[in-house]
Amino acid sequence: IALEEMGLPYSLHYVDISKGDQFKPEFLRFSPNNKMPAIIDQDGIGGMQTSIFESGAILLYLSGKTGKYIPSDMKRQVLVWEWLMWQIAGFGPMLGQVHHFNHYAPVKIDYAIERYVNEASRLYGVLDTQLSKGDYVTGDDYTIADMAILPWTKSYARQGIDLAKFPNIARWRETLHNRKAVQKAYEIEAEIGEKNKTDLRRTHRHGASPSCSHLAWDQPLRAASARNRDWDSRLVVRAPPHLVQRARKHRAKPLSRLSYSKRRFVDRW
């Protein structure tokens, strides 16, 4: 979204994490946490090649580079920083937990499901209240904070959220989805996703972003990102004792060895 909104020239590169491309030395050189997204700006700081990983850092870098979608005065900048960090530290991670425990955990844990669905609802309420104050998250101006938060609301139904209870978010989403750059970004995501289909039951990872693009970037910017990680169909898992006990209670197979044919997904604990 940011690249399209800022009018930056770029090319996208698919990172095949099912083959472990994210662990290759050439990738780790600019994304040491072996995660996506990450970018390389060939015309970066001081005209030198500059690499950045982590989506929040990338958005701050791009807005600083272009002077777009971030206010010029410090007072309003701080507001953008706050809501960008809110997404990074709370909204994204908590919704990731909702997706994991609701849809991918090998054992359904009522406490975890209730905890994270309730927290998701609370966070949607926080966002809805903030959006009651203006057209966009930080007021009257569209910023990188909106760009960071929007994709996480894409799967609100799967997060157990009734959007009718959050009218300001519904209005805000409609406004953003009418932007040409946002539409283009989602078209690209759909196109890449169609070409590189993966079984989410096998590849979803704890904490993985539902909005991560599986892309990378060049000319003069290069980025990399990926949606999921492929796992072998049979895994050895080190599970915490309370999950082992719960599995026994429900007469499930021991969590030390789970067959994909029997369990949709096994996370690494």
Side-chain angles (χ1 to χ4, degrees), residues 109-173:
I109 306 171
D110 294 338
Y111 168 76
I113 292 172
E114 181 180 5
R115 170 183 169 83
Y116 289 113
V117 168
N118 287 344
E119 179 62 4
S121 182
R122 186 190 72 81
L123 290 166
Y124 268 84
V126 171
L127 180 60
D128 195 72
T129 298
Q130 179 65 15
L131 285 167
S132 70
K133 303 173 185 178
D135 293 337
Y136 302 101
V137 173
T138 59
D140 296 328
D141 297 323
Y142 174 58
T143 72
I144 56 173
D146 298 280
M147 298 177 197
I149 296 169
L150 175 65
W152 284 96
T153 68
K154 180 179 180 180
S155 303
Y156 64 86
R158 283 173 59 81
Q159 296 159 5
I161 297 298
D162 179 3
L163 209 59
K165 296 180 180 179
F166 306 101
N168 295 305
I169 295 178
R171 181 263 306 161
W172 169 77
R173 291 180 79 253

Side-chain angles (χ1 to χ4, degrees), residues 15-104:
V15 177
D16 192 343
I17 54 178
S18 68
K19 296 180 180 178
D21 287 354
Q22 74 276 29
F23 298 111
K24 291 181 177 179
E26 57 268 30
F27 184 72
L28 291 175
R29 274 196 292 271
F30 66 95
S31 185
N33 197 33
N34 62 70
K35 298 290 181 68
M36 287 63 70
I39 72 170
I40 296 176
D41 184 354
Q42 304 292 353
D43 183 25
I45 300 170
M48 303 293 289
Q49 186 184 86
T50 302
S51 64
I52 309 100
F53 69 98
E54 292 295 340
S55 57
I58 292 169
L59 286 170
L60 287 169
Y61 171 80
L62 294 177
S63 61
K65 176 186 176 76
T66 62
K68 296 180 178 179
Y69 302 108
I70 193 163
S72 57
D73 64 282
M74 180 64 75
K75 184 177 181 179
R76 290 191 299 154
Q77 274 189 21
V78 169
L79 192 58
V80 174
W81 298 345
E82 288 176 331
W83 285 96
L84 179 60
M85 298 308 129
W86 177 84
Q87 182 275 308
I88 294 168
F91 201 53
M94 293 302 101
L95 296 184
Q97 300 292 348
V98 171
H99 282 280
H100 173 72
F101 285 106
N102 278 26
H103 305 291
Y104 303 106

Side-chain angles (χ1 to χ4, degrees), residues 243-256:
L243 285 190
V244 175
Q245 293 170 4
R246 187 175 180 86
R248 288 171 180 165
K249 178 181 178 181
H250 293 279
R251 297 182 180 179
K253 283 191 174 184
L255 286 180
S256 59

Side-chain angles (χ1 to χ4, degrees), residues 183-252:
Q183 293 172 1
K184 180 67 178 297
Y186 278 111
E187 287 172 6
I188 292 171
E189 180 194 33
E191 181 181 343
I192 296 293
E194 185 65 26
K195 289 180 180 178
N196 301 279
K197 283 184 176 178
T198 30
D199 184 350
L200 292 182
R201 294 174 299 177
R202 294 183 62 187
T203 60
H204 189 279
R205 237 189 131 177
H206 172 68
S209 165
S211 59
C212 278
S213 4
H214 18 222
L215 317 168
W217 209 28
D218 202 28
Q219 231 170 345
L221 302 164
R222 180 181 299 172
S225 69
R227 187 184 301 268
N228 302 291
R229 177 177 179 178
D230 203 0
W231 300 94
D232 293 334
S233 60
R234 194 168 183 83
L235 299 172
V236 174
V237 181
R238 300 169 67 183
H242 70 279
L243 285 190
V244 175
Q245 293 170 4
R246 187 175 180 86
R248 288 171 180 165
K249 178 181 178 181
H250 293 279
R251 297 182 180 179

